[in-house]
Amino acid sequence: MIVISSINSKGGVGKTTLTANLAAMLALRGQRVLTIDLDPQSNLTFSFISVDEWHRYYEQTRTIKSWYYDFLYRNVESELAPLIISPKHVNQAIADHHGRVDLICSHLELMTIDIFLASRLKRSNAAQRLEATLRVYSRLSQGVRQLQDYDFVLIDCPPNFSLVTQNAIVASDYLLIPAKPDYLSTVGMDQLRTRVANLCQNYNAHLDKAPASMRHLPHIQPHVLGIVFMMVTFYAGQPIKAQLEYIEMVKRLGVPVFQTYIRDNKSVYADAPRDGIPVVLQQRIRAAQQDIQAEFSQLTNEIEEALR
Ligand SMILES: Nc1ncnc2c1ncn2[C@@H]1O[C@H](COP(=O)(O)OP(=O)(O)OP(=O)(O)O)[C@@H](O)[C@H]1O
Ligand SMILES: [Mg+2]
């Protein structure tokens, strides 16, 4: 099982779009994929199921919020498996391909979890603080590692570096960083890399001092698979000059950059979530959609290659 998080503290760069379409693409290739929506905005959740379905069946007890609540208010380390649902439309669309896309839903109130997770870290005694830190930071990792039957777990993160996002990073084998080729994305990239490196260093340092009861936790070293440039505008077969300059700037930072760029196409992406099916699986294929499918297929090849 390979765990990959889609992270970028910057909002609206394509984290959720990448998660949903990569999940679909991998499932088309026969992989069993679990997606986890860690963003209180719940965009990934609502790309797969309707708001009505969520209210009716999942809001109360089957979201990642209830799972964190068990930990925070009942001190229970629940399993993730009971939260998993199999969204109907996406799985119908891949029915002939032996793969599947499952989902753990998010919840708007996940927004408050961070404050409570942080309050867990406040302990007067150093030994208690160490144990609490490791428990809080490894909560999702421990949950994910109990799962069976999946080839991939894809985690869609919120646009911040909250404790919940850090939980995802600790749980991940790999990180994907979707980005727009613009000024702010390039500025943020270095900071993101530093934050991830600091998190890993701190977490591992805590582990080194851990009590015997926590020694089973593994050290972490999530590997940055690469930056995926999303919403790229093409002219004459390549990204427009201004964007190309930003792409080159990011390449110079030394972070791997995927060669496949995902093109900007407002009309195709804007309506996609309404059908519960990511763009790459949509049947109503117009020419533009075929291009998009080819792009994601190529990107998935590259990602699979990077995982080898
Ligand atoms: N290639 C694309 N071309 C045009 N629009 C796109 C493309 N990819 C994504 N979008 C649109 O851009 C918006 C932001 O994308 P998305 O929600 O995937 O970003 P995000 O990083 O997950 O955002 P947030 O930080 O809010 O979670 C969405 O409305 C989405 O439909
Ligand atoms: Mg998102």
Side-chain angles (χ1 to χ4, degrees), residues 85-99:
I85 66 168
S86 281
K88 191 170 73 194
H89 298 293
V90 63
N91 283 296
Q92 273 167 355
I94 52 176
D96 300 334
H97 298 267
H98 307 292

Side-chain angles (χ1 to χ4, degrees), residues 63 76 91 197 232 234 239 257 283 297:
T63 72
V76 173
N91 283 296
V232 178
F234 272 67
V257 173
Q283 296 295 321
S297 175

Side-chain angles (χ1 to χ4, degrees), residues 41-277:
Q41 295 178 97
S42 308
N43 291 344
L44 183 73
T45 301
F46 300 130
S47 342
F48 288 128
I49 62 167
S50 70
V51 177
D52 183 48
E53 197 180 346
W54 180 83
H55 278 303
R56 233 189 257 191
Y57 304 114
Y58 309 127
E59 178 181 5
Q60 295 303 326
T61 54
R62 285 180 83 183
T63 72
I64 195 77
K65 183 205 90 172
S66 23
W67 182 80
Y68 271 117
Y69 268 42
D70 281 352
F71 176 60
L72 288 167
Y73 299 114
R74 297 172 46 221
N75 208 16
V76 173
E77 302 198 346
S78 306
E79 291 195 14
L80 285 169
L83 303 177
I84 297 173
I85 66 168
S86 281
K88 191 170 73 194
H89 298 293
V90 63
N91 283 296
Q92 273 167 355
I94 52 176
D96 300 334
H97 298 267
H98 307 292
R100 71 168 192 269
V101 177
D102 287 346
L103 170 70
I104 294 180
C105 295
S106 191
H107 193 299
L108 251 180
E109 288 169 17
L110 193 60
M111 204 110 67
T112 58
I113 292 282
D114 246 69
I115 300 161
F116 296 113
L117 280 175
S119 69
R120 268 292 175 116
L121 303 175
K122 293 199 186 94
R123 295 281 190 280
S124 49
N125 168 319
Q128 285 175 349
R129 209 159 44 232
L130 175 71
E131 190 173 337
T133 303
L134 285 169
R135 274 190 81 201
V136 165
Y137 279 85
S138 67
R139 184 70 285 264
L140 186 66
S141 170
Q142 295 202 60
V144 166
R145 298 292 154 190
Q146 288 176 331
L147 293 170
Q148 285 164 353
D149 302 333
Y150 290 101
D151 301 304
F152 285 92
V153 176
L154 302 186
I155 306 176
D156 186 29
C157 291
N160 54 40
F161 205 75
S162 59
L163 275 171
V164 170
T165 302
Q166 294 180 61
N167 258 234
I169 295 170
V170 170
S172 295
D173 302 305
Y174 297 97
L175 306 173
L176 277 174
I177 308 180
K180 278 188 187 177
D182 61 24
Y183 176 67
L184 288 174
S185 295
T186 46
V187 172
M189 208 55 76
D190 219 22
Q191 189 190 39
L192 184 63
R193 203 166 51 156
T194 309
R195 282 174 146 180
V196 170
N198 288 344
L199 167 65
C200 296
Q201 205 175 26
N202 284 334
Y203 180 87
N204 288 335
H206 276 79
L207 261 187
D208 291 337
K209 295 180 281 179
S213 62
M214 306 198 91
R215 293 267 167 75
H216 63 284
L217 294 171
H219 284 76
I220 59 163
Q221 197 181 11
H223 179 73
V224 177
L225 264 184
I227 294 168
V228 182
F229 278 105
M230 310 280 291
M231 302 178 223
V232 178
T233 307
F234 272 67
Y235 181 76
Q238 63 167 350
I240 55 171
K241 191 160 166 283
Q243 293 190 341
L244 212 47
E245 280 168 11
Y246 288 119
I247 292 172
E248 290 306 323
M249 226 183 270
V250 170
K251 281 183 179 167
R252 283 199 290 276
L253 292 174
V255 194
V257 173
F258 287 99
Q259 282 173 20
T260 310
Y261 306 138
I262 305 299
R263 279 163 214 251
D264 187 79
N265 192 321
K266 297 270 181 304
S267 61
V268 171
Y269 284 94
D271 283 342
R274 260 195 310 184
D275 306 331
I277 303 178

